[in-house]
Amino acid sequence: MFEWIQDYSTLAYSSKQERMKFDEDSRFEMKRIMTEDPTGMSALGQYFTAASVWLSVEFTVAIPVLDEEVRERIMQEVAPHFAEVKQVVRKGRIETVYLRQLKPGSVKLFDENKAGILPVMKDLYRHHEVGDRYAGRKRSLVHYNVKTAVLEPYRESESVELQALLHTAYFGAEVTEFGLLPLGWQFDDSLKHSVALRFLAGFAPSLTITVDRDTNEVIMLHMSQEELIHKLNLKSAQPQPPRRMGDHLYLDIGHGLVYVVNLRGQPPVKDRKGFQDAEVYFWAEGSEFTDFNHETAERIPEGRGLFIDEDSLQGMIDAVNRELQV
């Protein structure tokens, strides 16, 4: 393995399911902000507008702004380049700024700024064809932790100040990780010279490269506060087989949650919209799935939604349809 790559991944074994936690108050306000047209483009502006310039003007940029200095800099140097600027306010505190629809004049300003960050963004996006890169494909992924201290530091022009600001934005408060999707990267030893990788290594506490095992394509750069640890669930932590209680079918969907489907009057299910009467409940900590009873269990907070991947969803559909045929 390459000298700048850690040739092992830290594993953590879990003997029980990790219970999903929901914020007590997830309510937020989305405030639209009007900005003046920009007169210039800083290195910070280039960093956050590159994807909109090269990939799509419809690209949505989400920036955490929990730090006051970061928020001021983003609103002064980045927000004016976008026609659509929204602030997420929760409990009176601005958490995130969403930016979309790059203004036409900002493309010219982007090209005119020859600051040190431009080579970084050109290296990150080595081509500009996104296409259907991820549509309908199952990938075999390998994750490699980068030995950031081995890489030659990237110290050009405004990069040091920008690295400090990005570190504060992503690792200075509640935010602890984020990812970037490079384009045109192949996993080989030459990546140790990548100016984008060296730039990111200069402020990210931990940096991981995700590679498609079959194509050797680098599909993600993952930055986090702590080293990425791969969790392996032991049998006791795996979702349990479906269990029926009367007219209700209990589907263990992991994370301490049970999807309860009322089979009475339920027609065969074809897709996620086909579940006629279904609710999600907590599986009480310290209890067994065999003891779960939806009549005494706690329902997840109202208004909360869950993402269920396609494979898991198909398994749920098959389980319900099998029961309907009994």
Side-chain angles (χ1 to χ4, degrees):
M1 186 52 65
F2 311 135
E3 64 173 357
W4 52 279
I5 286 294
Q6 188 170 289
D7 59 359
Y8 66 88
S9 295
T10 303
L11 301 178
Y13 295 90
S14 176
S15 60
K16 63 179 182 179
Q17 290 191 22
E18 292 187 9
R19 182 183 173 95
M20 183 173 288
K21 296 181 181 179
F22 295 89
D23 294 334
E24 293 182 3
D25 186 358
S26 63
R27 291 174 297 180
F28 65 89
E29 178 185 3
M30 188 78 81
K31 295 179 60 177
R32 185 157 189 164
I33 305 297
M34 303 303 296
T35 62
E36 300 290 336
D37 287 339
T39 57
M41 175 80 73
S42 66
L44 179 65
Q46 280 186 315
Y47 180 84
F48 283 114
T49 59
S52 300
V53 171
W54 290 328
L55 308 184
S56 171
V57 293
E58 299 294 337
F59 192 88
T60 298
V61 181
I63 310 174
V65 291
L66 296 166
D67 179 86
E68 184 176 349
E69 179 190 356
V70 172
R71 182 169 61 253
E72 290 180 357
R73 292 284 300 275
I74 294 301
M75 295 308 297
Q76 291 171 4
E77 301 177 35
V78 185
H81 294 286
F82 292 85
E84 187 175 308
V85 180
K86 295 180 180 179
Q87 293 180 339
V88 176
V89 183
R90 196 188 309 270
K91 297 180 180 179
R93 185 185 186 190
I94 302 174
E95 289 187 347
T96 310
V97 172
Y98 284 94
L99 309 166
R100 196 179 71 87
Q101 197 69 43
L102 191 72
K103 294 178 180 178
S106 292
V107 176
K108 180 180 179 182
L109 294 173
F110 180 93
D111 292 331
E112 289 176 347
N113 186 352
K114 306 302 180 183
I117 197 61
L118 191 57
V120 170
M121 306 316 294
K122 286 183 176 180
D123 184 45
L124 181 65
Y125 303 121
R126 296 181 179 182
H127 67 70
H128 305 154
E129 298 298 325
V130 180
D132 57 351
R133 186 183 183 192
Y134 302 103
R137 289 191 57 188
K138 287 189 177 181
R139 294 178 179 265
S140 177
L141 303 180
V142 186
H143 308 280
Y144 297 102
N145 293 324
V146 177
K147 299 178 183 178
T148 55
V150 175
L151 301 181
E152 180 184 353
Y154 183 79
R155 295 287 186 266
E156 299 292 338
S157 185
E158 303 171 62
S159 67
V160 176
E161 181 200 9
L162 181 55
Q163 286 171 320
L165 190 71
L166 292 173
H167 182 275
T168 300
Y170 289 101
F171 307 113
E174 289 91 338
V175 185
T176 58
E177 61 181 29
F178 74 104
L180 292 173
L181 305 178
L183 294 175
W185 286 39
Q186 287 292 306
F187 184 59
D188 57 43
D189 197 37
S190 68
L191 282 182
K192 67 183 177 183
H193 302 300
S194 161
V195 293
L197 194 67
R198 289 161 49 208
F199 172 81
L200 297 172
F203 72 89
S206 180
L207 179 57
T208 302
I209 290 180
T210 299
V211 179
D212 184 320
R213 189 197 302 270
D214 299 324
T215 65
N216 211 39
E217 178 187 11
V218 177
I219 64 171
M220 176 174 280
L221 301 174
H222 181 264
M223 283 136 282
S224 55
Q225 186 72 52
E226 305 290 341
E227 179 183 303
L228 185 65
I229 296 177
H230 303 286
K231 294 184 179 180
L232 296 179
N233 290 331
L234 300 178
K235 186 176 181 180
S236 59
Q238 298 287 347
Q240 302 299 301
R243 181 170 70 86
R244 184 165 180 169
M245 182 175 179
D247 291 328
H248 292 82
L249 183 65
Y250 298 160
L251 302 169
D252 178 9
I253 58 177
H255 303 288
L257 300 175
V258 180
Y259 198 72
V260 179
V261 181
N262 187 351
L263 299 175
R264 179 176 294 181
Q266 171 69 56
V269 183
K270 295 182 179 180
D271 53 38
R272 66 177 67 242
K273 296 180 181 179
F275 294 101
Q276 184 171 277
D277 182 5
E279 300 285 351
V280 181
Y281 292 79
F282 286 112
W283 171 4
E285 290 185 277
S287 67
E288 298 294 332
F289 183 61
T290 52
D291 299 325
F292 176 82
N293 186 333
H294 74 282
E295 295 180 348
T296 58
E298 177 187 359
R299 221 187 269 180
I300 68 169
E302 192 172 339
R304 305 307 200 273
L306 293 175
F307 172 79
I308 300 177
D309 65 83
E310 291 299 323
D311 288 342
S312 299
L313 176 63
Q314 189 59 53
M316 293 164 60
I317 291 173
D318 293 342
V320 171
N321 289 336
R322 282 196 299 270
E323 287 298 318
L324 293 174
Q325 294 173 1
V326 174

